[in-house]
Amino acid sequence: MPLDTSSYSLALLRLDGRRWNELRRLHVQSSTQAAADGSSYVEMGNTKVICTVVGPAEARRTGSGGGGAGSDADVRVDINLAGFSAVDRKRRGRGDKRTSEMQTTIANAFSSTLFTHLYPHSTIAISLHVLSQDGSLLAACLNAATVALIDAGIPMSDYITACTAGSTSSYNRNDDTADPLLDLNGLEEQELPFLTVATLGASDQVSVLVMETRVQAARLEAMLAVGVDGCKQVREILDAAVRRQGQKGLEGIVA
């Protein structure tokens, strides 16, 4: 069923009542799993992700010499999509192409951000469990991994925060008056062109940029600008959650 965007031009509101530059509800918790070195739970709208971090741990020695055998720690990412997480209830195997691409993207992003040189011959394992999918899946996984890594006490140069940005018109319509949209939900992602962007800290430095749909080149700059601004809003929310958890920890020590 095509997405009805007729109401947007009249009320400047999207189907869920948000304006073009508004984020969905973002809920963040850390230290949710006591057995893990670091853990987090993130909700971006109806997209829900649990992340656990184990390590840095000594790498297993293999005959090939891979997996943390170098001078830097090896960052490994594993994503598990629950069978009930999507509407179609399609169970994705470990060899699923899209899942593998997301794992590689997340691993590369954190390999360049974490101070892996401090942990030679070791492995940092990031496990992401997706409970519900409603758009911005890669962004939610990146945000959950950031909070879990901070909870694990692994030093990094700054937060990696991510969100999505899209356009109100599809590629075929070639509408010059199309407006950018921030933080797309699942229905919007099915019908509209969008990208996922992640920035480092409060700067405009882009660490991840993924686009799986076609879009007019003239609209790309506006979409990217909205996405970068959204990442700054996400960083403030993540930072507040991390500081809240740190304050609780200090209160427990003092008590």
Side-chain angles (χ1 to χ4, degrees):
M1 180 178 179
L3 179 64
D4 181 14
T5 57
S6 59
S7 62
Y8 177 80
S9 59
L10 299 176
L12 296 180
L13 295 176
R14 292 147 76 175
L15 297 178
D16 54 8
R18 291 181 294 146
R19 297 190 181 276
W20 63 272
N21 61 344
E22 290 181 347
L23 292 170
R24 291 178 293 176
R25 174 181 176 271
L26 179 55
H27 174 69
V28 182
Q29 284 181 269
S30 60
S31 299
T32 56
Q33 306 290 326
D37 295 318
S39 58
S40 66
Y41 173 71
V42 169
E43 291 183 8
M44 294 185 70
N46 290 324
T47 299
K48 304 174 183 180
V49 178
I50 294 175
C51 180
T52 58
V53 172
V54 176
E58 183 178 359
R60 294 181 179 177
R61 297 186 179 276
T62 59
S64 60
S71 58
D72 295 342
D74 183 31
V75 180
R76 298 180 180 178
V77 178
D78 183 47
I79 299 177
N80 297 297
L81 302 175
F84 53 80
S85 63
V87 176
D88 55 5
R89 291 182 177 264
K90 179 182 178 182
R91 190 170 186 83
R92 297 179 181 269
R94 290 189 175 274
D96 180 69
K97 182 180 179 182
R98 184 164 185 264
T99 303
S100 299
E101 289 175 350
M102 287 196 297
Q103 290 175 169
T104 302
T105 300
I106 295 170
N108 291 339
F110 286 105
S111 294
S112 60
T113 306
L114 297 171
F115 294 162
T116 54
H117 64 279
L118 299 177
Y119 308 101
H121 311 290
S122 61
T123 301
I124 300 170
I126 303 172
S127 297
L128 293 150
H129 304 271
V130 180
L131 304 180
S132 177
Q133 301 181 58
D134 186 31
S136 304
L137 179 58
L138 176 58
C141 289
L142 284 164
N143 294 330
T146 296
V147 177
L149 287 165
I150 293 173
D151 184 51
I154 302 174
M156 63 176 69
S157 57
D158 210 328
Y159 290 73
I160 288 183
T161 54
C163 70
T164 56
S167 175
T168 57
S169 178
S170 64
Y171 179 85
N172 294 329
R173 288 175 60 183
N174 195 18
D175 186 4
D176 294 333
T177 62
D179 295 321
L181 298 176
L182 179 65
D183 190 15
L184 276 66
N185 59 35
L187 185 59
E188 290 171 333
E189 284 189 358
Q190 291 178 18
E191 300 292 339
L192 302 176
F194 72 96
L195 56 82
T196 301
V197 59
T199 59
L200 190 62
S203 68
D204 293 337
Q205 180 180 345
V206 175
S207 58
V208 175
L209 181 59
V210 177
M211 189 166 190
E212 301 175 359
T213 54
R214 300 173 65 191
V215 67
Q216 299 291 341
R219 298 187 214 144
L220 185 59
E221 183 177 356
M223 290 168 58
L224 185 57
V226 169
V228 169
D229 183 68
C231 290
K232 294 179 181 179
Q233 298 180 45
V234 172
R235 185 193 184 281
E236 293 179 1
I237 297 173
L238 264 59
D239 186 59
V242 170
R243 291 179 183 275
R244 262 196 321 269
Q245 183 62 34
Q247 186 66 30
K248 287 182 182 178
L250 289 174
E251 291 174 356
I253 293 173
V254 172

